[in-house]
Amino acid sequence: MQLDFPFHFNQVGHTASTDENDHIRNLIEQVLFTNPGERVNRSTFGSGLLQLVFSPNSDMLVAATQVTVQAALQQWLGDLIEVQAIEVANGNTQLQVTVHYVIRRTQEAQATRFTQEV
């Protein structure tokens, strides 16, 4: 079992834990929504995804976001997952990112969608 993200306590007052699949999903979320420079002693951690939200919406932005996200996931989680595809949709008030990946340890394919209000 791994610590759940965000950190919280369960119903009996112990530190909440989660299974491996949810833990990996939590790690992906942390990489996606952390801006480089936010973490002490890991100044390059993150993808800078939220900074791209304020750029003009275009096909070039979607392509750049896909490359940026895939590179960040490979750098920080490449030993845990193999990224298969990244889908990005930038709406008026939401940014949606879908990550298709395979968990290396189990060879289990997963797809997870993350939505951020902007």
Side-chain angles (χ1 to χ4, degrees), residues 56-103:
N57 198 356
S58 67
D59 292 339
M60 288 178 47
L61 175 65
V62 170
T65 302
Q66 290 170 330
V67 169
T68 300
V69 167
Q70 182 149 358
L73 290 173
Q74 281 302 122
Q75 178 182 359
W76 296 105
L77 302 178
D79 57 331
L80 297 175
I81 64 172
E82 179 183 334
V83 178
Q84 301 292 308
I86 306 288
E87 298 169 13
V88 178
N90 189 2
N92 289 336
T93 61
Q94 285 186 342
L95 175 68
Q96 287 187 351
V97 178
T98 304
V99 180
H100 299 270
Y101 59 97
V102 173
I103 299 173

